[in-house]
Amino acid sequence: MSPATPDAGEAADALPAVAPQLRELRRRAALTLEAAARAAGLSPAHLSRLETGQRQPSLPMLLALARTYGTTVSELLGETPADRDAVVRAPDMEPTAAGGWTYWQAGSPGRGMQALRVHVPHGAQGDIVRVHPGEEWLYVLQGRLRLRLGDTSYTLAPGDSAHFDSLTPHRIAAVDHGGADLLFVHTLLQSPAAALCLGGPDKGDRHDGI
């Protein structure tokens, strides 16, 4: 057996909670093995092996199954989050810097929908194209934002918003030198591995004339 192919015992030991949880969530959703596999883009045999612990699910598989069962990756993994407050006070929003952007958690962590307040500096990450499962909604608070969706570019001013499927290739950049501030909500992106980033600007941008 190849070293890259774990046997059933190793897979079950690595993710002991996943197999029974996958089976229970499918049954709760009243889906047959064939119907669930088809909706998640898997073969019934592969899903059966996941449910019996003979294979480890990859992150894309977990995301597809979470969407199929109407739940979160955390629940698929059998994680039970601690009680969370519904209200997040301003003094409790600690800034986190990553890739030149600054983030403030504006909602409870560990939920299927994540809310952030974001500062996008001018010139930071503007050439990174992102593709990943889920949805995104953003609302511009201050400054102007350039949003590229597929082959079309939009300039968003304060008060403008956008809501899109994040499987559409997209990139975000601040237009003004002072940067842009926005509210940002996304789904099923608890892990950085969920995002596929492709560097480099594209040619032939189309603009909406804003």
Side-chain angles (χ1 to χ4, degrees), residues 6 9 44 46 68 112 137 143 146 168 176 190:
H46 198 148
T68 298
W137 175 87
R146 174 57 49 80
T168 302
D176 303 320
Q190 288 84 355

Side-chain angles (χ1 to χ4, degrees), residues 161-183:
S161 64
H163 187 177
F164 53 93
D165 188 324
S166 44
L167 282 173
T168 302
H170 56 282
R171 69 186 189 210
I172 295 171
V175 175
D176 303 320
H177 287 284
D181 293 291
L182 56 139
L183 295 177

Side-chain angles (χ1 to χ4, degrees), residues 111-129:
R111 296 188 183 275
M113 183 176 69
Q114 297 290 294
L116 303 168
R117 182 163 60 89
V118 184
H119 176 71
V120 181
H122 184 263
Q125 301 187 37
D127 60 347
I128 296 178
V129 180

